[in-house]
Amino acid sequence: MTDSHQENPASAGEEQEALAGGFPEIEAIRPVDFPCWLMRIISTVVRAEVDRRMEPLGLTQAQWIPVLHLASGKAHTSADLARRTLQTPGAMTRLVDRLVDKGIIERERSTDDRRVVSLRLTDEGLAAAMQVPDIVKGVNSAALSPLSPDELTQFHGYLRRIYEAMPNTLSVDMCLPPDGCAGDATDNSDNSDNSDNTAHQPGKERAL
C-alpha cells in the first residue's frame, strides 16, 4: 500500500528540475539589517503615535504642521503654507478647507486687495497649536529614551552628516524647507485627491 503522506517522486523531480532551470537564489532581506530601512520603520511608528496623541485635538500629521506655521507667524496664506510644507496649492487648499470645517482656521479677505485671502487660527485652533510641541517632543523623547544623552548627541550628529552628504551620495535634491519643519510632504488621509496637481520641486534647500 502506498503511504498517502509519502512525497511524490515525480513532484520532487519536477521541483529540482525547476530550481536547476535558472530560478535565482535570492538573498533574504530583513529591515533590521538595513539602518535606513529601520529608520523608516521607526519614523512610521513615531508618526502613528503622534497622530494617536493628536486625536483629541482633531489634527492629523498633515494638519498640525500647517497649524504650527500659522501659530508661529511664519505663514499667512494658503500659498505660504504650500511652500513651507512642500504641498501643491490645490492640495493645501483642500487641507485648509478641512481645517476651516473643523473650526481650527478661518479665512479673512484683505480689505486692500480682495484677491488676497489671509488665514488665521481661531481660538480653538490656537489652543490646539499650543499643545502640539509638547506632544511631538514627548513622543520623540519616549522613542529615544533607550539612548543616553551622550549617545543621543552622537546619534543626532550621525544623522546630520548623512543628511548633509545626500546631495553627493544620492541622486536626489534636498527635500526640507529652510526651517526644517515640513514633516512628510504627503499624507494618505488628507492628500489622496491631489492627482490633479504636480508637487513642488523644492530644489536643494537646506534645513540644517
Side-chain angles (χ1 to χ4, degrees):
M1 179 181 294
T2 303
D3 186 351
S4 60
H5 296 289
Q6 184 177 353
E7 184 178 13
N8 186 331
S11 298
E14 289 172 359
E15 182 179 357
Q16 291 176 358
E17 182 178 351
L19 290 175
F23 286 100
E25 199 172 307
I26 300 176
E27 179 185 358
I29 298 293
R30 301 188 311 161
V32 293
D33 295 333
F34 294 85
C36 289
W37 197 349
L38 195 54
M39 284 190 295
R40 172 65 177 174
I41 294 173
I42 292 170
S43 176
T44 299
V45 174
V46 166
R47 171 174 171 165
E49 178 62 13
V50 170
D51 276 350
R52 187 186 70 79
R53 298 191 189 188
M54 291 283 182
E55 284 180 3
L57 306 182
L59 297 174
T60 66
Q61 168 85 6
Q63 293 171 350
W64 64 257
I65 294 172
V67 164
L68 277 190
H69 283 307
L70 290 175
S72 66
K74 294 178 180 178
H76 304 280
T77 66
S78 182
D80 291 340
L81 292 176
R83 284 192 295 270
R84 286 192 163 271
T85 60
L86 307 183
Q87 298 279 4
T88 62
M92 181 53 63
T93 297
R94 289 188 289 274
L95 190 149
V96 169
D97 287 341
R98 294 185 181 95
L99 290 170
V100 170
D101 291 341
K102 289 182 177 183
I104 300 293
I105 288 177
E106 58 186 12
R107 291 182 170 97
E108 185 177 70
R109 194 168 293 278
S110 171
T111 56
D112 297 326
D113 187 345
R114 301 293 294 175
R115 295 171 298 177
V116 177
V117 178
S118 298
L119 304 175
R120 72 181 188 88
L121 296 177
T122 62
D123 291 342
E124 180 182 349
L126 185 57
M130 303 227 0
Q131 300 177 61
V132 167
D134 285 341
I135 291 175
V136 175
K137 288 189 290 186
V139 173
N140 276 268
S141 294
L144 297 170
S145 60
L147 301 180
S148 69
D150 287 344
E151 288 173 331
L152 181 57
T153 299
Q154 191 174 33
F155 176 62
H156 196 182
Y158 289 152
L159 294 180
R160 289 173 64 102
R161 282 168 56 188
I162 294 169
Y163 169 82
E164 294 184 351
M166 279 184 171
N168 300 318
T169 59
L170 299 175
S171 300
V172 295
D173 289 334
M174 304 310 290
C175 58
L176 295 178
D179 61 4
C181 184
D184 289 343
T186 60
D187 179 273
N188 291 336
S189 62
D190 284 81
N191 300 322
S192 58
D193 56 349
N194 66 351
S195 58
D196 60 324
N197 293 286
T198 302
H200 286 303
Q201 176 58 263
K204 295 184 179 179
E205 297 173 302
R206 303 306 295 267
L208 299 175

